[in-house]
């Protein structure tokens, strides 16, 4: 009895050990090493080919032209001829300011001008008479000279009053506010009855919707890289760097853009350069303020060594892959990663085109293990050079290239 009682805890511990071993084996998947046999893995040959690479950045849509409409004269808004969000054409009336005081100013300026013109006319008549009297020596030459000066003064006064009348008429015309360009109005329009101060009150904002800018920032090294590419291709029809965007729902925008503006200096706080690319927007899909993922292409890495991303493992800041060596055993290789291209990494150092890398069965796989290898292709595994077009967080888009 005592012997049986001592064996019972030992049996329980043995059962727990067997259960833990089974659990660990299940976590390793179907390809884990079986007792006394080789580890089942899937592997494929390293790819080597000329590979176009791209860099991606967080971008934001901005209107190419945007104007805050203001009144040139002050007064209360008495009429509005549009609704917020409308499309308008250049010269279309938008608002009318109360014009009564400006109508009165025109009438007053007209009266002042008429009075000065009448005074000038009388002075000119007197001058003509004095010139006749001077010819017959009836008056002195000084009298004629004085009258000529009066005529000149009255003429200048009449011209000044004519300018005041023109200004009064312009102010009256400016009580109707027209669209300065064709575009879409925002919904920040003021209501009828608002007092508009000349040159300071924003009545409404108008902006163009086709084409639009996509703004993004690049680092100094990337700026130099793309400038060099553009210089090398300056004689080609490609025009240097190509630009495309992916919208926040993961859809690719159907039109390519072109870089048209770059800031004159790097931002001191970030060390990046603001760049603007111009995109056609005939259907109005792109709205100012939207986020987009910007992709710049134009660089090709010749004879690049490529491995699937899932073959790469990282530990303590180092990257490595498992390869099938000549003895059909697993061997760890430390590699230097380049840029991501679709489902692949460009490998700068650590592999050759003759290597075979393990792409499945890596869980708990150790170096030096015998392998039962099943060779697969990129098509079998669903690997592709196309970019991921799933929905993305536009606040977390980063450059997909690895820094040199």
């Amino acid at each position: 009895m005592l012997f049986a009682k001592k064996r019972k805890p030992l049996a329980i511990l043995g059962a727990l050990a067997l259960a833990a071993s089974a659990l660990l084996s299940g976590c390793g998947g179907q390809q884990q090493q079986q007792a006394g046999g080789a580890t089942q893995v899937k592997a494929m040959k390293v790819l080597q080919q000329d590979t176009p690479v791209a860099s991606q950045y967080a971008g934001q849509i901005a209107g190419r032209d945007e104007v805050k409409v203001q009144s040139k004269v002050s007064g209360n808004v008495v009429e509005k001829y549009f609704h917020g969000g409308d499309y308008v054409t250049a010269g279309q009336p938008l608002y009318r300011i109360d014009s009564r005081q400006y109508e009165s100013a025109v009438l007053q300026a007209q009266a002042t001008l008429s009075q000065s013109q009448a005074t000038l006319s009388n002075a000119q008549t007197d001058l003509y008479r004095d010139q006749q009297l001077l010819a017959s020596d009836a008056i002195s030459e000084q009298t004629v000279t004085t009258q000529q000066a009066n005529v000149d003064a009255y003429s200048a006064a009449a011209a000044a009053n004519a300018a005041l009348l023109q200004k009064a008429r312009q102010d009256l015309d400016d009580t109707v506010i027209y669209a300065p360009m064709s575009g879409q109005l925002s919904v920040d329009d003021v209501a009828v009855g608002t007092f508009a101060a000349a040159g300071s009150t924003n009545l409404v904002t108008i902006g163009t919707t086709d084409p639009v800018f996509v703004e993004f920032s690049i680092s100094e090294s990337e700026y130099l890289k793309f400038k060099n590419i553009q210089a090398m291709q300056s004689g080609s029809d490609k025009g240097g760097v190509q630009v495309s965007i992916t919208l926040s729902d993961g859809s690719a925008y159907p039109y390519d853009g072109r870089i048209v503006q770059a800031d004159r200096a790097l931002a001191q706080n970030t060390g990046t350069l603001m760049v603007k690319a111009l995109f056609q927007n005939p259907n109005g899909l792109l709205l100012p303020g939207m986020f987009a993922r910007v992709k710049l292409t134009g660089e090709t890495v010749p004879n690049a060594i490529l491995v699937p991303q899932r073959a790469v493992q990282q530990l303590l800041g180092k990257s490595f892959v498992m390869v099938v060596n000549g003895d059909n055993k697993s061997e760890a290789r430390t590699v230097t990663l380049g840029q991501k291209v679709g489902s692949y990494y460009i490998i700068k150092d650590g592999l050759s085109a003759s290597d075979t890398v393990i792409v499945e069965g890596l869980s708990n796989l150790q170096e030096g293990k015998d392998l039962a290898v099943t060779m697969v292709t990129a098509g079998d595994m669903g690997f592709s050079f196309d970019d991921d077009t799933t929905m993305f967080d536009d606040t977390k888009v980063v450059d997909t290239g690895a820094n040199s």
Side-chain angles (χ1 to χ4, degrees):
M1 291 293 292
L2 181 61
F3 179 73
K5 289 181 179 179
K6 288 183 178 179
R7 290 187 60 187
K8 187 173 182 182
L10 293 176
I12 294 175
L13 290 175
L16 290 175
L18 289 174
S21 176
L23 179 62
L24 290 174
S25 176
C27 292
Q30 295 180 354
Q31 289 76 30
Q32 293 305 305
Q33 183 177 6
Q34 303 298 322
T39 302
Q40 300 288 330
V41 297
K42 292 182 180 180
M44 62 179 288
K45 281 288 186 182
V46 168
L47 301 181
Q48 184 177 29
Q49 63 185 54
D50 293 346
T51 306
V53 295
S55 298
Q56 298 191 24
Y57 309 90
Q60 189 169 20
I61 313 300
R64 187 184 66 168
D65 297 308
E66 187 173 286
V67 176
K68 294 186 181 299
V69 179
Q70 297 177 339
S71 174
K72 295 180 180 179
V73 296
S74 298
N76 291 320
V77 176
V78 293
E79 286 189 87
K80 185 169 72 172
Y81 306 110
F82 67 91
H83 295 92
D86 285 352
Y87 286 88
V88 296
T89 57
Q92 180 176 331
L94 302 177
Y95 287 100
R96 186 172 72 84
I97 303 295
D98 187 358
S99 61
R100 290 174 296 176
Q101 60 175 323
Y102 300 102
E103 292 170 354
S104 299
V106 169
L107 294 176
Q108 183 177 0
Q110 286 176 335
T112 302
L113 176 59
S114 297
Q115 183 178 8
S116 61
Q117 287 175 336
T119 303
L120 174 61
S121 178
N122 289 336
Q124 288 172 334
T125 300
D126 290 342
L127 176 61
Y128 178 76
R129 184 188 67 242
D130 289 345
Q131 288 172 339
Q132 297 298 319
L133 292 174
L134 178 63
S136 60
D137 293 330
I139 60 174
S140 66
E141 184 176 352
Q142 180 61 43
T143 302
V144 175
T145 302
T146 300
Q147 187 60 30
Q148 180 65 58
N150 291 335
V151 169
D152 293 341
Y154 295 144
S155 177
N161 290 329
L164 292 175
L165 176 60
Q166 182 179 0
K167 176 63 169 60
R169 287 172 173 168
Q170 289 175 347
D171 288 344
L172 180 60
D173 292 339
D174 288 339
T175 57
V176 179
I177 301 163
Y178 300 92
M181 63 182 184
S182 299
Q184 185 178 13
L185 298 172
S186 64
V187 294
D188 61 354
D189 51 296
V190 303
V192 172
T194 301
F195 180 81
S200 62
T201 302
N202 296 327
L203 301 177
V204 70
T205 304
I206 182 172
T208 56
T209 57
D210 183 26
V212 295
F213 283 132
V214 177
E215 300 177 343
F216 58 100
S217 296
I218 64 175
S219 68
E220 179 180 356
S221 61
E222 290 161 343
Y223 164 75
L224 295 174
K225 177 181 69 174
F226 287 118
K227 287 294 288 186
N228 291 335
I229 293 171
Q230 195 164 15
M232 289 187 294
Q233 297 183 347
S234 58
S236 71
D237 295 334
K238 294 182 180 180
V241 179
Q242 290 84 52
V243 189
S244 60
I245 57 174
T246 302
L247 304 182
S248 59
D249 63 352
S251 62
Y253 188 64
Y255 299 96
D256 288 338
R258 56 190 177 89
I259 293 177
V260 293
Q261 293 182 20
D263 205 349
R264 59 178 293 272
L266 298 178
Q268 293 185 356
N269 57 337
T270 61
T272 58
L273 184 74
M274 174 63 73
V275 179
K276 291 184 179 182
L278 192 66
F279 282 80
Q280 299 299 317
N281 189 29
N283 300 322
L285 176 62
L286 302 181
L287 298 177
M290 289 176 60
F291 290 94
R293 184 164 52 192
V294 182
K295 182 173 73 172
L296 301 186
T297 57
E299 179 186 10
T300 298
V301 178
N303 294 319
I305 300 294
L306 300 154
V307 299
Q309 294 181 34
R310 66 186 299 172
V312 178
Q313 302 179 78
Q314 294 182 326
L315 180 66
L316 300 177
K318 294 186 178 295
S319 300
F320 64 94
V321 297
M322 284 288 188
V323 301
V324 181
N325 66 14
D327 297 328
N328 217 41
K329 294 180 181 293
S330 57
E331 178 182 336
R333 296 275 186 86
T334 301
V335 296
T336 303
L337 300 182
Q339 289 181 278
K340 289 181 182 178
V341 182
S343 304
Y344 298 89
Y345 271 118
I346 293 176
I347 303 299
K348 295 182 177 181
D349 183 53
L351 292 177
S352 67
S354 61
D355 287 324
T356 299
V357 297
I358 299 172
V359 296
E360 189 170 299
L362 293 167
S363 299
N364 298 328
L365 179 63
Q366 298 178 358
E367 189 174 17
K369 296 294 184 180
D370 291 326
L371 301 176
V373 180
T374 301
M375 296 299 295
V376 294
T377 65
D380 296 334
M381 303 301 294
F383 301 148
S384 170
F385 287 98
D386 295 331
D387 293 322
D388 179 20
T389 57
T390 56
M391 294 181 66
F392 68 98
D393 184 348
D394 48 55
T395 64
K396 297 182 179 179
V397 179
V398 295
D399 180 6
T400 57
N403 294 330
S404 300

